[in-house]
């Protein structure tokens, strides 16, 4: 068994969004597919391994956000079964609400960022049993329920590796900085911290982040993420009555010294737009009882 990082070169930026090719004793499988705008890069990466979509045993998505699973419908329509969290499955089968929600956020940039978003045929959707091994051949993969970033989030354990989607944060090769993706509507600090504690107990040696790549020092990573989740939540809590644009600018200025140059900052912004985290963190605090 092996895991290979496939760079989707999202919007022309390398090492920003990944898919993962997992070889097994039987047919290989894919974890994450990205959006339709990354389909040519993903198909080319598979072709370099002598693979076509029909050669895959399954596509596993950590959650249904468009940078992770926007093109899942196309892959399902090619005959590839798609594994997803129970709460995410209805939105892959009928993505109309997902498209409408994303459209309100991205507006005219929708097509440029994500391309077409197709429905998954229902008979191609495999609903994961939470915290249980998946029904796959040639490999044992456990789908761990991992809310906090999103309620419909899964992390996939393959041996001593964990493919984490967004629940382990964003850490790109461009900078030694662990960023917290907190988009609306489902960022929940306490839930995320509980998930960190749960995943930190797993016997794994490497974390594979969709944004981006393999990371060791697993316990140090979880400890840093726990601290960062608290920090970003408190930063916004103390300024939640500010004008939104002023708050975005303050949040950016607070994080800017973590980046060695403008290019590294821009790469993080591509993977984890700051305005979305501000909106998610503000929503989190407004939902809490006074």
């Amino acid at each position: 068994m092996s895991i290979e990082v496939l760079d989707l070169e999202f919007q022309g930026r390398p090492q920003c969004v990944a898919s993962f090719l997992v070889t097994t004793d039987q047919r290989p499988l894919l974890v994450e597919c990205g959006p339709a705008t990354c389909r040519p890069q993903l198909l080319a990466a598979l072709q370099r391994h002598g693979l076509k979509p029909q050669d895959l045993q399954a596509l596993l998505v950590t959650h249904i956000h468009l940078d992770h699973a926007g093109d899942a419908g196309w892959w399902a329509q090619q005959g590839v079964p798609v594994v997803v969290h129970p709460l995410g499955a209805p939105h892959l089968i009928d993505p109309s609400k997902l498209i409408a929600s994303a459209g309100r956020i991205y507006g005219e940039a929708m097509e440029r960022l994500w391309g077409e978003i197709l429905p998954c045929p229902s008979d191609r959707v495999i609903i994961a049993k939470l915290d249980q091994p998946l029904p796959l051949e040639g490999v044992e993969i456990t789908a761990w329920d991992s809310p906090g970033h999103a309620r419909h989030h899964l992390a996939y354990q393959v041996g001593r590796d964990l493919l984490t989607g967004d629940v382990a944060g964003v850490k790109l090769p461009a900078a030694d900085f662990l960023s917290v993706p907190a988009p609306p509507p489902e960022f929940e600090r306490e839930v995320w911290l509980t998930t960190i504690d749960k995943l930190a107990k797993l016997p794994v040696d490497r974390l594979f982040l969709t944004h981006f790549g393999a990371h060791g020092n697993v316990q140090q990573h979880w400890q840093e993420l726990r601290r960062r989740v608290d920090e970003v939540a408190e930063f916004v809590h103390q300024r939640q009555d500010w004008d939104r644009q002023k708050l975005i600018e303050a949040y950016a200025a607070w994080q800017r010294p973590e980046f060695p140059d403008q290019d590294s900052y821009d790469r993080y912004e591509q993977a984890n737009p700051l305005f979305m985290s501000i909106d998610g963190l503000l929503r989190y605090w407004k939902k809490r009882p006074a």
Side-chain angles (χ1 to χ4, degrees), residues 58-73:
L59 164 64
L60 285 56
V61 297
T62 58
H63 59 303
I64 63 170
H65 291 170
L66 298 180
D67 52 334
H68 295 255
D71 207 23

Side-chain angles (χ1 to χ4, degrees), residues 28-133:
L29 54 89
L30 196 64
V31 179
E32 313 282 57
C33 62
T37 50
C38 293
R39 190 190 306 160
Q41 295 92 301
L42 183 50
L43 287 173
L46 290 178
Q47 188 176 34
R48 289 193 290 271
H49 289 83
L51 297 171
K52 305 183 297 298
Q54 294 76 12
D55 297 321
L56 297 173
Q57 181 178 171
L59 164 64
L60 285 56
V61 297
T62 58
H63 59 303
I64 63 170
H65 291 170
L66 298 180
D67 52 334
H68 295 255
D71 207 23
W74 183 86
W75 289 85
Q77 291 185 18
Q78 309 312 302
V80 182
V82 178
V83 177
V84 65
H85 192 286
L87 296 177
H91 300 287
L92 291 187
I93 295 168
D94 178 5
S96 56
K97 290 183 180 178
L98 180 63
I99 294 169
S101 176
R104 289 191 292 271
I105 295 172
Y106 297 104
E108 295 180 356
M110 275 286 290
E111 178 66 23
R112 174 179 60 83
L113 290 171
W114 314 120
E116 62 181 350
I117 301 166
L118 301 174
C120 290
S122 59
D123 63 350
R124 287 291 164 185
V125 174
I126 298 174
I127 297 175
K129 292 183 179 180
L130 302 180
D131 300 341
Q132 298 293 326

